């Protein structure tokens, strides 16, 4: 999380730093991204960035949380459009479509998220995945539990296992996107 000094900055300066950081982390995996390039483009001293964030990983995780919040809003809107208590399979399909539509409209956010899959440092990858996957997991587990109660999925299906299957499929699709072996249209079909 940013330090309080970051929130004390004028809104315009905060947004400029975040936009430049997003541009840098969307263009490069974490290990190759450069704080020096960010501060140079922002026109601030390198030491200033450490007044706003504890380190590069702190800034990166904050950006990923902002991207996750944008995706969660898109998902909530897509699921709400299905009406009250939608079928879990329709909700999952709407979730996937919402993520793909967000990737189409905000390719910078998609690149930021996909770059974690290109990260060569397994400890950074593990920490980032742990930081940003909690909200999605909690929501999916609730959906699967509600679907079981409504008889939409078999009683023997474990919600945590169902989530792992859905998450795993999503990761494979995202890896294929990151490697540019498929495009967004093919991802949506998958």
């Amino acid at each position: 999380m940013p330090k309080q000094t970051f929130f004390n900055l004028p809104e315009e300066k905060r947004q400029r730093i975040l936009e430049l950081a997003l541009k840098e982390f969307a263009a490069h995996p974490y290990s190759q991204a450069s704080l020096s390039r960010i501060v140079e483009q922002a026109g601030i001293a390198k030491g200033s960035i450490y007044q706003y964030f504890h380190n590069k990983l702190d800034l990166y995780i904050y950006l990923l949380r902002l991207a996750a919040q944008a995706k969660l809003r898109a998902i909530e809107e897509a699921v709400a459009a299905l009406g009250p208590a939608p079928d879990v399979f329709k909700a999952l399909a709407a979730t996937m479509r919402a993520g793909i539509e967000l990737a189409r409209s905000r390719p910078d956010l998609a690149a930021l998220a996909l770059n974690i899959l290109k990260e060569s440092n397994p400890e950074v990858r593990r920490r980032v995945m742990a930081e940003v996957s909690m909200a999605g997991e909690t929501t999916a587990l609730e959906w699967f539990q509600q679907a079981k109660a409504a008889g939409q999925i078999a009683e023997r299906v474990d919600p945590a296992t169902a989530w792992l299957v859905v998450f795993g499929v999503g990761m494979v699709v995202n890896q294929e996107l990151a490697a540019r072996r498929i495009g967004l249209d093919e991802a949506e079909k998958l």
Side-chain angles (χ1 to χ4, degrees):
M1 283 298 291
K3 296 178 181 178
Q4 186 57 46
T5 52
F6 180 71
F7 295 110
N8 293 341
L9 292 172
E11 175 70 20
E12 185 177 304
K13 187 171 185 176
R14 279 196 321 265
Q15 289 306 314
R16 175 94 173 122
I17 291 169
L18 291 176
E19 287 169 14
L20 292 168
L22 175 58
K23 180 180 173 186
E24 179 69 15
F25 287 115
H28 307 281
Y30 172 82
S31 296
Q32 297 171 16
S34 167
L35 286 180
S36 296
R37 283 190 293 256
I38 295 167
V39 298
E40 181 181 321
Q41 292 176 5
I44 60 175
K46 188 166 185 179
S48 296
I49 201 76
Y50 295 106
Q51 295 298 313
Y52 310 142
F53 295 91
H54 295 283
N55 51 39
K56 183 170 98 169
L57 186 57
D58 191 35
L59 172 58
Y60 185 57
I61 288 172
Y62 183 66
L63 288 172
L64 284 164
R65 284 181 178 165
L66 293 176
Q69 288 171 1
K71 186 173 183 177
L72 187 57
R73 282 191 302 274
I75 288 169
E76 287 171 348
E77 290 173 11
V79 172
L82 296 174
D87 173 89
V88 69
F89 299 104
K90 289 179 182 175
L92 287 171
T95 296
M96 298 294 182
R97 279 193 302 279
I100 289 169
E101 287 306 315
L102 182 63
R104 283 189 177 112
S105 65
R106 292 292 311 270
D108 54 344
L109 294 182
L112 172 74
L114 290 174
N115 271 344
I116 192 56
L117 300 175
K118 298 176 186 176
E119 179 51 47
S120 59
N121 182 328
E123 179 56 26
V124 168
R125 195 172 48 245
R126 184 204 60 75
R127 179 149 176 230
V128 168
M129 294 301 288
E131 289 279 341
V132 298
S133 68
M134 295 300 284
E137 181 177 357
T138 301
T139 300
L141 287 174
E142 288 174 12
W143 286 355
F144 287 122
Q145 289 166 347
Q146 291 168 359
K148 275 180 75 168
Q152 295 173 357
I153 59 176
E155 183 61 35
R156 69 181 183 279
V157 173
D158 175 52
T161 303
W163 159 246
L164 287 175
V165 170
V166 170
F167 183 78
V169 169
M171 287 298 293
V172 169
V173 170
N174 284 328
Q175 287 171 339
E176 294 298 299
L177 280 167
R180 299 182 190 274
R181 288 188 285 267
I182 63 172
L184 290 172
D185 290 336
E186 192 171 350
E188 186 170 10
K189 288 176 189 171
L190 291 172

